[in-house]
Amino acid sequence: MFIDKFYSSSNDKVRFSRQQASDFAKQVADDFNPLHNIEAKRFCVPGDLLFAVTLARAGLHQQMRFKFSGMVTDENELNFPQSLGQDVKVTDDNGKEYLEISASGDKTDNQALIESLIKAYVGFSGHTFPHLLVALMAKENVMINPARPMIMYESMAIDLQRVDIKEISLVLAKTELNIDGKRGNACLAFDLLSEGEVVGHGEKHMILSGLRAFDQATMDNIANDYNAMKAAYQVA
């Protein structure tokens, strides 16, 4: 599967080099979060890469929920499950948890379908900022701290009506941002389609911290800096 080049596996242990994680973020997710840059001091592996590796190794279930609990770096060696159930943990050898997975319903190992879902979801998820979140923040008159922007990927879930399908595409259904003081909880709901028919639904949840009053000029600068990084990478 295409995802195999973005991680290394040995003795059932999974590792991500900075190059692998950064390439996945930029080439597959179209995600240019500075935390995924190779030289970043606070480098972290994209949560969507953990999602993708889970599906590639353990299969796709009708109902799946992923809760992210720790930042993965290139120094972590992780124990990924070969099969899924309720409250399965991805941990390191010290027992630290990085991801909690719950899965139920029918299962498929159809590689073409799994690859289709990974590309559809990750492509959507990678466009969260600035495409969707800026509009949500403007609507609620809040924005992240421009000096230290913090948007944390909290969880995602999918619910499929069936898995006897060939491919999946994704369309945005609803966006919502709930504010609690300087903290915000964003929800992006989406529909999953196969050959034009809705076959499931899903949600992505994020936490925004350090919120303050929205300022259009400041937000434009943040978005412009992000887009400039993307443009520079594409030219290179």
Side-chain angles (χ1 to χ4, degrees):
M1 186 181 287
F2 84 100
I3 197 68
D4 293 344
K5 66 180 179 181
F6 297 110
Y7 70 100
S8 302
S9 178
S10 177
N11 298 322
D12 292 329
K13 308 288 186 183
V14 171
R15 293 195 70 150
F16 306 93
S17 71
R18 289 193 171 213
Q19 189 69 61
Q20 287 172 319
S22 184
D23 284 349
F24 177 87
K26 296 172 175 61
Q27 297 172 13
V28 181
D30 202 27
D31 178 359
F32 287 80
N33 185 329
L35 290 178
H36 307 322
N37 290 343
I38 294 172
E39 69 280 4
K41 291 183 179 180
R42 298 179 64 245
F43 172 85
C44 74
V45 175
D48 287 335
L49 181 51
L50 306 183
F51 160 79
V53 170
T54 300
L55 264 61
R57 293 172 63 88
L60 169 65
H61 291 251
Q62 279 182 280
Q63 290 83 38
M64 302 188 76
R65 179 172 176 80
F66 297 77
K67 185 175 182 180
F68 302 92
S69 52
M71 291 177 64
V72 177
T73 73
D74 57 312
E75 298 179 356
N76 297 125
E77 192 170 58
L78 303 180
N79 302 295
F80 267 81
Q82 296 290 343
S83 61
L84 301 175
Q86 294 297 313
D87 300 328
V88 176
K89 308 289 196 305
V90 172
T91 65
D92 60 22
D93 282 343
N94 294 321
K96 182 178 178 180
E97 297 178 8
Y98 296 87
L99 177 63
E100 182 179 309
I101 310 158
S102 293
S104 59
D106 294 339
K107 177 195 172 187
T108 180
D109 293 307
N110 183 318
Q111 296 278 292
L113 174 60
I114 291 172
E115 183 170 320
S116 173
L117 174 59
I118 289 173
K119 289 181 176 179
Y121 175 72
V122 168
F124 158 79
S125 180
H127 287 166
T128 298
F129 183 90
H131 305 73
L132 300 176
L133 282 184
V134 171
L136 269 179
M137 289 188 286
K139 181 181 177 182
E140 298 298 330
N141 195 35
V142 296
M143 70 177 188
I144 50 179
N145 181 355
R148 194 167 182 264
M150 286 297 295
I151 302 173
M152 293 178 288
Y153 189 176
E154 182 189 34
S155 65
M156 69 84 65
I158 55 173
D159 186 351
L160 288 164
Q161 297 169 7
R162 63 182 199 274
V163 293
D164 59 338
I165 49 181
K166 296 179 181 179
E167 53 80 30
I168 286 181
S169 59
L170 184 154
V171 295
L172 181 67
K174 183 178 67 173
T175 61
E176 187 176 61
L177 177 60
N178 294 310
I179 308 300
D180 183 10
K182 293 186 177 182
R183 185 183 176 97
N185 291 280
C187 174
L188 309 180
F190 52 88
D191 295 328
L192 297 167
L193 290 78
S194 181
E195 299 179 332
E197 176 190 356
V198 176
V199 294
H201 309 280
E203 293 183 346
K204 175 180 180 177
H205 293 265
M206 289 154 294
I207 296 174
L208 287 65
S209 60
L211 296 180
R212 71 259 340 267
F214 187 85
D215 180 81
Q216 187 66 61
T218 302
M219 205 66 245
D220 286 346
N221 287 336
I222 296 174
N224 289 339
D225 288 345
Y226 181 93
N227 290 327
M229 285 190 295
K230 180 176 178 178
Y233 177 83
Q234 292 171 336
V235 170

